[in-house]
Amino acid sequence: MVLNNNYSIFLIISCFTLLFLSTSAPNSIASTSQSPLQTQCLSFPNVSVTGNSNNENDNSNGGDGPKGLKINVHLSNQNTDNVGPLTIFIITSNGECAIAKINSDPVESVGQENELTFEFDSGIIDVNENFNACVETSNNFDFKCVLGTNSPSKVPEEIFLEVPIENVNSFTN
């Protein structure tokens, strides 16, 4: 009788445990509402973004303080007619991210190169510190990144990114 009683308690506890695990498992997996690159961002420093960005605010603090590193990001237009909106990321080695969104409009971008300039406050990316510059598609989060370094020279860093191809049909007519 004691064995049956212990077995019943074990069975009840096991059922509740399985029920708990099945309802809590989706919450423990990384959210699909954020892209893989967004999950790398730990903080968002004050950054001024200029160029073909459609950001309503540029995250700048509006101050006249000393500015730090400037990064000019050039996007190839080879694939921009194959993709939807794009997001450009600059990710520091400390996980600080500057983000700009671009709406891809093939009519406006034919024969042109999309360019954005990110200007960080001084001290965000130190001299000789590495950073990643990435372009990501908004539809399926395909991305391409390049590694850049803040050189000691006082000129902007030039980064060239190729837009990833998405939804390319392998069938030809």
Side-chain angles (χ1 to χ4, degrees), residues 23-87:
T23 59
S24 65
N27 295 331
S28 66
I29 298 173
S31 171
T32 57
S33 64
Q34 285 190 332
S35 76
L37 292 176
Q38 286 175 324
T39 62
Q40 301 298 310
C41 298
L42 301 177
S43 64
F44 302 91
N46 290 327
V47 176
S48 172
V49 180
T50 56
N52 297 330
S53 162
N54 66 343
N55 287 356
E56 291 181 12
N57 60 7
D58 61 5
N59 297 333
S60 66
N61 59 8
D64 293 328
K67 291 291 184 182
L69 174 64
K70 265 190 187 181
I71 301 172
N72 294 330
V73 178
H74 306 271
L75 296 175
S76 70
N77 68 346
Q78 177 182 359
N79 300 318
T80 54
D81 57 345
N82 297 330
V83 296
L86 301 171
T87 305

Side-chain angles (χ1 to χ4, degrees), residues 44-145:
F44 302 91
N46 290 327
V47 176
S48 172
V49 180
T50 56
N52 297 330
S53 162
N54 66 343
N55 287 356
E56 291 181 12
N57 60 7
D58 61 5
N59 297 333
S60 66
N61 59 8
D64 293 328
K67 291 291 184 182
L69 174 64
K70 265 190 187 181
I71 301 172
N72 294 330
V73 178
H74 306 271
L75 296 175
S76 70
N77 68 346
Q78 177 182 359
N79 300 318
T80 54
D81 57 345
N82 297 330
V83 296
L86 301 171
T87 305
I88 310 305
F89 289 82
I90 303 294
I91 306 172
T92 71
S93 59
N94 296 328
E96 296 173 297
C97 294
I99 299 173
K101 295 184 183 292
I102 296 176
N103 281 336
S104 175
D105 186 349
V107 173
E108 291 181 9
S109 65
V110 170
Q112 295 179 350
E113 184 174 47
N114 292 316
E115 181 180 333
L116 293 176
T117 300
F118 292 81
E119 188 170 3
F120 292 82
D121 284 341
S122 65
I124 300 294
I125 301 178
D126 295 326
V127 172
N128 295 323
E129 184 178 342
N130 291 334
F131 59 88
N132 281 300
C134 305
V135 58
E136 177 183 70
T137 62
S138 297
N139 295 340
N140 63 2
F141 302 132
D142 285 341
F143 63 90
K144 289 193 177 184
C145 297

